[in-house]
Amino acid sequence: MAQEYRCKLAGLADMEQQWERLIADAGQDRANWIVWKESAIRRAAAGEALPYYGILNGEIICEATANLCAHNVQNAEGLVDEKTAYLCAFRTAEGYRGKGYFSKLLRYLLNDLKRRGYEAATLGVEPKEEQNRQIYAHYGFDQYLKTVTEHEPDGTAITVDYYRKKL
């Protein structure tokens, strides 16, 4: 059977399905995932975020979200405005990592943002996630912006380095 992979802007029904799966797999962080689900669906429904999915043979295997409004992003100064989207919620299902699926989704997302008139994109990465930082730098997210602390819904504090890419 041929593998059919496609990238798309997710609809609310797609999101509902994906978030239920993520919550079911969340373990002890389940409460955070429930809060993130409600926020993600609310932002997408309001047109404040664009969720993108990579789908292989009908299964969602990777995702990323472009936030378009500063009031939805912690430490938003310099990260999101009318010409800059803040990217987050990068996830690839375990069995599909390292096979180029997320790379295709990221290119699709960046091209779509550019088509919509965005001139830059930003993202955050924890300093301990050196491999992810290197991957993002490979895709042009190499303009360091700042390092600050974010808080998860349960209050957990994490340090995040932010980077920018011109589209």
Side-chain angles (χ1 to χ4, degrees):
M1 177 172 106
Q3 300 278 332
E4 182 186 324
Y5 179 73
R6 64 187 176 99
C7 301
K8 70 177 236 177
L9 188 60
L12 295 178
D14 299 318
M15 292 181 71
E16 187 68 38
Q17 172 190 349
Q18 177 68 349
W19 278 100
E20 286 306 312
R21 187 190 63 73
L22 292 169
I23 290 168
D25 295 342
Q28 70 184 47
D29 284 340
R30 189 171 190 276
N32 283 337
W33 287 90
I34 290 170
V35 171
W36 290 327
K37 172 192 174 188
E38 292 168 0
S39 176
I41 290 175
R42 177 189 49 75
R43 290 189 323 259
E48 297 175 350
L50 301 171
Y52 296 87
Y53 287 173
I55 300 172
L56 180 64
N57 296 328
E59 178 186 355
I60 300 165
I61 63 164
C62 55
E63 65 183 285
T65 297
N67 279 293
L68 310 176
C69 296
H71 66 270
N72 292 320
V73 177
Q74 290 186 50
N75 306 302
E77 185 176 337
L79 300 179
V80 61
D81 59 38
E82 64 279 347
K83 294 293 182 182
T84 305
Y86 176 72
L87 309 183
C88 66
F90 296 167
R91 286 186 278 280
T92 301
E94 186 138 351
Y96 302 99
R97 294 178 187 156
K99 297 180 181 182
Y101 294 114
F102 184 80
S103 295
K104 290 177 184 175
L105 180 64
L106 184 60
R107 283 192 299 274
Y108 177 89
L109 177 158
L110 294 173
N111 287 334
D112 187 57
L113 289 173
K114 188 172 184 175
R115 183 184 60 77
R116 292 171 183 269
Y118 287 87
E119 297 173 356
T122 60
L123 55 74
V125 61
E126 292 179 61
K128 68 182 179 185
E129 295 177 336
E130 180 59 27
Q131 182 179 10
N132 287 345
R133 192 199 57 73
Q134 289 175 4
I135 290 167
Y136 303 148
H138 171 77
Y139 286 103
F141 290 90
D142 54 8
Q143 181 187 354
Y144 171 79
L145 297 174
K146 61 184 175 180
T147 299
V148 295
T149 300
E150 285 191 2
H151 293 89
E152 295 182 353
D154 67 3
T156 301
I158 56 173
T159 301
V160 181
D161 296 334
Y162 296 95
Y163 295 89
R164 180 179 190 271
K165 170 190 175 69
K166 185 174 168 103
L167 300 180

